[in-house]
Amino acid sequence: MKNEKTDYKNIPGWGMDIDPGNEPTYPMKNYTGDDHKRSVYERSNQQHADVEILKSNERPALSAVLGNTVPPSGISGMIRRYAFKHSEDRYRHWIPLILADRVNVVEGIIEDLSRGIIPNIFAESGIRAAIRHNPKGLLKKVIITSVVAGVILYALKKKK
Amino acid sequence: MLAMNYRGPYRVRTEQRPMPEILHPEDAIVRVTRTCICGSDLHLYHGMVPDTRVGSTFGHEFIGIIEEVGPLVTNVKIGDQVLVPFNIACGKCNFCKQGLYGNCHESNSMATAVGGIFGYSHTAGGYNGGQAEYVRVPYANFGPTVIPADMDPDDAVLLTDVVPTGYQAAEMGGIKEGDTVVVFGAGPIGIMAARCAWFFGAARVIIIDHIEYRLEFAKNYAKCEAYNFKSMADPVVFLKKTTDWYGADVCIDCVGCEAEGNALQTFTGKVTLMQAGAATALQWAINSVKKGGIVSVVGVYGPPFNYVPIGNILNKGITLRANQASVKRLLPKLIDHVQTGRLNPKGLITHRVPLEEISDAYHIFSSKLDECIKTVLIPSAKH
């Protein structure tokens, strides 16, 4: 790729926002001293928690507003409840959450089937786009997957 | 209503879901007219962000029309066309009062290290996002901003995240007149950061990536130099050499946890998850900046930690600056830049896709097919 020298001062807007005072901490934070007032501020009304909310143990109470989507349930929910017994500092918080996410995928398929939906995993993965825009890549993936699966099956058969 | 539904890594679909409801007196319900897939949505899509629950709706970049408001909402009214910052902020807590709207203390119960974000896992509060026909918007007195009448909706939707995040990345770089700025990552945020670096008086802006079509796009859009790290033996040595063996004044990481280019980072971060993603871009930024330089980070990394050369931050006297963009703080200035034509956000959009085709849209963006830079999803007009 050829890069040419730019007459940068002619770029629209060049230098408009030059701020010699822009040193670390400013302007990310317009310091007012409010930090030292801790939690003394006008707070919005507390949203009623109508589903189970897993709260970080690094804060004393729920935030004023809450996301109430997809409450914990099933085995993944049990793992998530365990995770939230530990602070965000701990691996015991994050690793179980990643594990719960993977368990949740299986639960999602079971949930689909229980609702009479057969998940179209190929469509959900965007196979139409792959066929349209990357047929060679898709073919390569299919061949590699088939070869690997074939080798594994052959090895298993031989072992028997 | 139709909404995106996450079913697991690399699997999303749309389906009919219940309409959102007012759950708090300061809530609003917004009918979405434009929504985007963000590069950081791909971290969710790839299963990299802990506590991303099956059944969630993603989408933190959206605009729309106010359809319903709670009893305490006074700043917007039904029918207003609004752009909604990606961070959920109360505007009243001690952090919000100091302009740190990306760090609101009253929008996320589930983690203290991040404020609430629409459609960005339960780690960011468990809110549904805007990749749907309707979305619940908390703190409607503060977040939603009425779109100026003469503003193109495609420009407006990019003011919810891409433009402010790219701008703040440059702003946090503390760029001085005459500086050399290196941006890692030629995705939409990186391209915008490179474009905005000029506003602060940079004399040279360099963007580094490995996707050739993105580098070509970045070079034209951001008027910067663009280099493919795959064509270099060592990107850090290349950057030292091109800056008189000194290092850049400012390095900006716009890549985050799914970087390529370093086998050890890839193995430990993406294959074995021994760290929170591959921190290659941050490693290069730290090692490519001059002594006493500034590294600005807007690339998204998951918890709990990453392997980066912290010793070099000390030994080189580097200042590391990072944050989620404070969208609401930056909007007045950025709206002005857009309205006066200095910034052309919609120039980043390469794909407009009906919401119904979300599975294909994610695949195209994730796999970088069809020269995709930025995808806008459009919910059906009949709604």
Side-chain angles (χ1 to χ4, degrees):
Chain A
M1 182 176 301
K2 201 176 170 207
N3 286 291
E4 281 149 20
K5 207 125 184 108
T6 315
D7 185 6
Y8 58 86
K9 291 193 178 179
N10 288 330
I11 292 172
W14 181 86
M16 274 202 70
D17 295 339
I18 287 176
D19 180 3
N22 181 5
E23 286 297 334
T25 77
Y26 173 85
M28 285 190 288
K29 180 172 175 176
N30 179 23
Y31 185 73
T32 60
D34 277 290
D35 283 351
H36 303 138
K37 296 176 188 164
R38 303 299 177 194
S39 295
V40 182
Y41 49 82
E42 184 202 345
R43 195 168 175 269
S44 291
N45 298 340
Q46 179 64 52
Q47 180 184 328
H48 172 64
D50 56 354
V51 297
E52 182 184 0
I53 304 286
L54 296 175
K55 181 182 74 63
S56 166
N57 69 0
E58 293 183 38
R59 56 181 299 142
L62 295 174
S63 53
V65 301
L66 309 163
N68 70 339
T69 61
V70 204
S73 64
I75 296 169
S76 66
M78 288 163 60
I79 301 169
R80 292 189 209 283
R81 287 183 198 104
Y82 168 80
F84 273 82
K85 288 179 180 161
H86 305 285
S87 81
E88 295 159 57
D89 176 62
R90 300 297 186 96
Y91 253 132
R92 275 172 276 178
H93 180 75
W94 299 111
I95 298 292
L97 285 177
I98 292 171
L99 175 67
D101 290 347
R102 301 299 176 259
V103 170
N104 202 192
V105 173
V106 179
E107 290 173 333
I109 291 170
I110 295 168
E111 182 210 345
D112 271 347
L113 294 173
S114 69
R115 287 162 55 204
I117 299 168
I118 298 170
N120 187 343
I121 290 172
F122 293 112
E124 288 169 356
S125 308
I127 196 166
R128 277 190 323 176
I131 292 168
R132 201 180 313 140
H133 299 294
N134 189 23
K136 279 185 190 167
L138 181 64
L139 188 65
K140 197 172 149 191
K141 221 182 254 180
V142 170
I143 291 169
I144 290 170
T145 309
S146 307
V147 169
V148 170
V151 168
I152 292 169
L153 282 174
Y154 178 75
L156 288 172
K157 209 172 171 186
K158 211 177 168 188
K159 206 177 169 188
K160 272 185 184 174
Chain B
M1 67 154 183
L2 199 66
M4 177 265 200
N5 186 338
Y6 170 72
R7 304 310 299 170
Y10 297 90
R11 285 177 51 216
V12 296
R13 68 183 183 220
T14 49
E15 65 179 31
Q16 289 296 326
R17 315 196 81 180
M19 283 284 289
E21 293 171 5
I22 300 280
L23 300 172
H24 184 274
E26 293 172 49
D27 281 356
I29 304 298
V30 169
R31 174 161 62 87
V32 179
T33 52
R34 294 273 193 294
T35 177
C36 296
I37 303 176
C38 177
S40 59
D41 285 332
L42 297 182
H43 306 323
L44 299 169
Y45 179 67
H46 297 158
M48 299 284 287
V49 181
D51 214 358
T52 302
R53 301 182 191 173
V54 168
S56 300
T57 296
F58 301 165
H60 55 269
E61 300 179 4
F62 60 92
I63 60 168
I65 298 165
I66 302 275
E67 286 283 314
E68 192 182 347
V69 292
L72 294 183
V73 175
T74 52
N75 280 358
V76 288
K77 59 185 188 306
I78 292 169
D80 280 349
Q81 301 216 34
V82 292
L83 67 90
V84 182
F86 74 88
N87 9 61
I88 300 170
C90 71
K92 299 184 220 173
C93 72
N94 290 335
F95 302 108
C96 283
K97 277 200 272 189
Q98 297 179 102
L100 299 173
Y101 304 124
N103 311 104
C104 177
H105 203 53
E106 292 294 348
S107 58
N108 184 7
S109 297
M110 299 174 199
T112 55
V114 61
I117 299 174
F118 290 98
Y120 208 78
S121 82
H122 281 66
T123 295
Y127 298 90
N128 269 335
Q131 288 168 8
E133 288 176 331
Y134 295 87
V135 60
R136 171 197 169 212
V137 175
Y139 295 131
N141 279 329
F142 187 74
T145 301
V146 175
I147 300 169
D150 58 346
M151 182 171 278
D152 190 313
D154 286 345
D155 282 329
V157 73
L158 296 183
L159 281 165
T160 61
D161 181 358
V162 175
V163 181
T165 299
Y167 185 90
Q168 186 167 315
E171 184 189 46
M172 289 191 298
I175 299 165
K176 302 287 179 296
E177 186 171 348
D179 273 357
T180 294
V181 179
V182 174
V183 178
F184 293 95
I189 300 287
I191 294 168
M192 189 53 69
R195 177 66 188 86
C196 290
W198 298 117
F199 287 126
F200 296 94
R204 193 175 176 201
V205 180
I206 296 167
I207 199 162
I208 304 284
D209 202 295
H210 67 108
I211 311 279
E212 204 61 29
Y213 81 83
R214 289 194 161 189
L215 287 165
E216 193 65 42
F217 187 98
K219 192 174 76 168
N220 296 325
Y221 183 92
K223 318 285 180 215
C224 61
E225 296 169 50
Y227 297 100
N228 190 329
F229 67 74
K230 287 205 167 153
S231 68
M232 303 166 186
D234 185 331
V236 172
V237 173
F238 170 82
L239 289 168
K240 286 277 174 66
K241 194 174 172 185
T242 196
T243 53
D244 301 324
W245 299 100
Y246 207 67
D249 299 291
V250 176
C251 284
I252 302 175
D253 171 7
C254 295
V255 180
C257 66
E258 296 196 62
E260 295 195 28
N262 179 306
L264 187 62
Q265 285 279 0
T266 301
F267 181 73
T268 55
K270 290 164 77 175
V271 180
T272 59
L273 295 183
M274 288 164 66
Q275 60 166 327
T280 308
L282 185 52
Q283 180 181 325
W284 286 349
I286 291 166
N287 290 335
S288 305
V289 79
K290 70 178 182 187
K291 292 169 188 168
I294 297 177
V295 171
S296 166
V297 185
V298 292
V300 172
Y301 292 89
F305 60 74
N306 281 96
Y307 305 143
V308 291
I310 194 85
N312 289 355
I313 297 177
L314 168 74
N315 292 329
K316 291 170 76 175
I318 294 167
T319 300
L320 190 63
R321 299 174 77 177
N323 208 343
Q324 298 283 352
S326 183
V327 178
K328 194 73 183 180
R329 172 175 69 81
L330 293 168
L331 275 179
K333 180 180 283 184
L334 296 176
I335 287 172
D336 182 57
H337 280 323
V338 173
Q339 286 187 310
T340 51
R342 289 186 290 269
L343 272 181
N344 172 27
K346 65 176 178 289
L348 290 172
I349 296 170
T350 51
H351 289 67
R352 287 178 176 77
V353 180
L355 180 62
E356 289 85 342
E357 294 176 21
I358 200 161
S359 316
D360 294 339
Y362 264 91
H363 183 83
I364 288 169
F365 193 39
S366 169
S367 302
K368 298 172 180 66
L369 303 177
D370 199 28
E371 305 211 338
C372 181
I373 300 287
K374 188 70 182 172
T375 302
V376 173
L377 301 166
I378 303 173
S380 171
K382 70 181 178 209
H383 298 284

